[in-house]
Amino acid sequence: MRIVALVPGGISDQILFFPTLDDLKRNYPDAQIDVVVEPRSKAAYRVSKSVNDVLMFDYKDRNSLADWANLVGILRDREYDVAIALTQSLLMGLLLWLTGIPTRIGYKGKGAAFLTNTVPLKQEQYAADVYHTLLQELGIKSPCPQLAVNVPKLDIDWADKEQLRLGVKETGYILIHNGVNELPANQGQDRTYPAENWLDIIQDCQQKQPDIPVMVVQEPGQQEFVAQLKQSIPDIKITSPDNMGKLAAMIAGANLLLCTDSAAMQLAVAVQTYTIALFGSTDPAKLLPKSEKIIAIKSSTGKIADISPKTILEKIWGG
């Protein structure tokens, strides 16, 4: 069987789809499973064990008819048996119909007339569960499995060496990930927390637990953020993993992850690291499973910057 899933969205969206892909592979172990994702999201599949091939298509770009026709041609040529669409879209439904793929699964609503199988879209649920309901149309009725990732050994080895480089010993460490905007700034995402607030948190952690180092992840474009931290804490430990596997390995080695709503948060869920996650306007229940290892702090104003360091520290120390 040849299966293709069309998965718009950022890296976090892809990781939330992993349980569905894993369950699909468990039930159809000999199937070839491919995904069509935006270029910005291909990096997620370094830590997926269930996908054979990652095709790229920029769903959000102003694609011409020729671009869409090219995608239709690629999907037709690969002779898929099943297509799964993760978005309600008239254009997407039409595209899948034009491919001639015999089984086309998606959500009820826009574009459903071009699909062969549909399920209700329950957007208020945890996103991984929402995606997993699509498998009902392939006879898979089991509950959604836990989110998991497959970290390459090379990335685990890199993380071990990185911890040695930074002088981290058996005590473990607290890891801070200040998010990264996966979409252009003009789309109004609120995914980072002010450096001055992080400084209050880091200094408090260093005073209360001097033997447990605090480490900060520097993502591309965060030079100014890191420079602000170094002004007050010159010897702060900075790490810059350059792929999802290395980031997952560093998160797995942490005693605690402090982060904003981002791919790092989803990786922490997968590797079961204790996590305190900051949210602005997004509903945490849609992006996080129920777990004793995860504490979500949602801003009362809808802006992450308005969460006080005191509120976060109370959660860290159980106050």
Side-chain angles (χ1 to χ4, degrees):
M1 181 185 289
R2 297 174 65 86
I3 302 169
V4 63
L6 284 74
V7 195
I11 290 174
S12 295
D13 299 297
Q14 310 303 318
I15 298 173
L16 283 162
F17 189 50
F18 283 8
T20 298
L21 291 166
D22 293 345
D23 216 10
L24 194 53
K25 194 66 175 178
R26 272 191 290 271
N27 282 271
Y28 296 95
D30 297 326
Q32 171 163 326
I33 303 172
D34 299 341
V35 291
V36 182
V37 306
E38 296 169 37
R40 65 192 172 106
S41 302
K42 182 180 180 180
Y45 289 89
R46 183 176 180 86
V47 291
S48 170
K49 60 182 182 292
S50 299
V51 168
N52 294 87
D53 201 1
V54 181
L55 310 176
M56 287 185 286
F57 183 77
D58 196 346
Y59 299 98
K60 294 187 180 298
D61 195 14
R62 293 182 178 179
N63 297 295
S64 66
L65 284 175
D67 294 324
W68 288 103
N70 185 54
L71 179 59
V72 169
I74 291 170
L75 298 180
R76 287 182 71 95
D77 290 346
R78 289 183 172 236
E79 298 182 342
Y80 290 110
D81 303 291
V82 177
I84 301 173
L86 268 68
T87 180
Q88 288 177 312
S89 164
L90 184 63
L91 185 57
M92 193 70 70
L94 175 61
L95 179 146
L96 288 178
W97 177 71
L98 291 171
T99 65
I101 297 172
T103 301
R104 304 182 297 277
I105 300 170
Y107 298 110
K108 293 180 179 177
K110 294 178 180 178
F114 295 103
L115 303 174
T116 60
N117 303 68
T118 59
V119 300
L121 175 59
K122 299 179 180 178
Q123 290 182 319
E124 70 281 0
Q125 294 181 343
Y126 173 43
D129 291 334
V130 175
Y131 296 153
H132 191 263
T133 60
L134 291 165
L135 297 189
Q136 294 175 9
E137 297 306 305
L138 290 173
I140 300 173
K141 308 290 186 180
S142 54
C144 181
Q146 289 186 340
L147 200 159
V149 292
N150 184 45
V151 182
K153 186 178 184 304
L154 281 173
D155 296 339
I156 295 171
D157 292 344
W158 177 88
D160 290 341
K161 291 175 183 176
E162 181 73 348
Q163 291 172 41
L164 286 174
R165 180 185 74 82
L166 292 169
V168 174
K169 300 178 182 178
E170 292 77 11
T171 56
Y173 51 92
I174 296 171
L175 187 66
I176 290 175
H177 188 282
N178 197 29
V180 56
N181 283 346
E182 297 175 0
L183 290 175
N186 62 8
Q187 297 200 21
Q189 286 197 312
D190 179 25
R191 296 284 177 90
T192 58
Y193 192 58
E196 57 269 24
N197 290 6
W198 281 125
L199 279 171
D200 289 346
I201 293 164
I202 293 167
Q203 288 166 343
D204 190 84
C205 289
Q206 289 178 330
Q207 288 171 5
K208 288 188 169 68
Q209 291 288 348
D211 295 330
I212 300 180
V214 178
M215 190 186 304
V216 176
V217 175
Q218 179 175 323
E219 290 282 2
Q222 290 189 335
Q223 292 84 354
E224 184 178 341
F225 164 66
V226 169
Q228 285 181 265
L229 299 182
K230 284 185 172 181
Q231 272 189 333
S232 298
I233 312 173
D235 60 346
I236 192 168
K237 298 180 187 299
I238 305 295
T239 184
S240 301
D242 59 8
N243 65 48
M244 285 294 112
K246 291 176 181 177
L247 178 58
M250 291 302 293
I251 292 170
N255 299 357
L256 172 68
L257 173 69
L258 305 175
C259 66
T260 60
D261 167 20
S262 63
M265 179 183 75
Q266 300 301 340
L267 292 174
V269 172
V271 299
Q272 300 187 34
T273 292
Y274 284 97
T275 302
I276 296 176
L278 311 182
F279 285 82
S281 58
T282 311
D283 181 1
K286 294 182 180 181
L287 296 176
L288 290 172
K290 294 178 181 178
S291 170
E292 294 180 354
K293 290 190 172 184
I294 305 166
I295 295 174
I297 302 176
K298 189 177 187 307
S299 171
S300 59
T301 66
K303 294 182 179 180
I304 284 181
D306 291 339
I307 300 172
S308 72
K310 181 181 177 183
T311 299
I312 298 167
L313 289 167
E314 285 174 352
K315 296 297 183 183
I316 294 174
W317 308 123

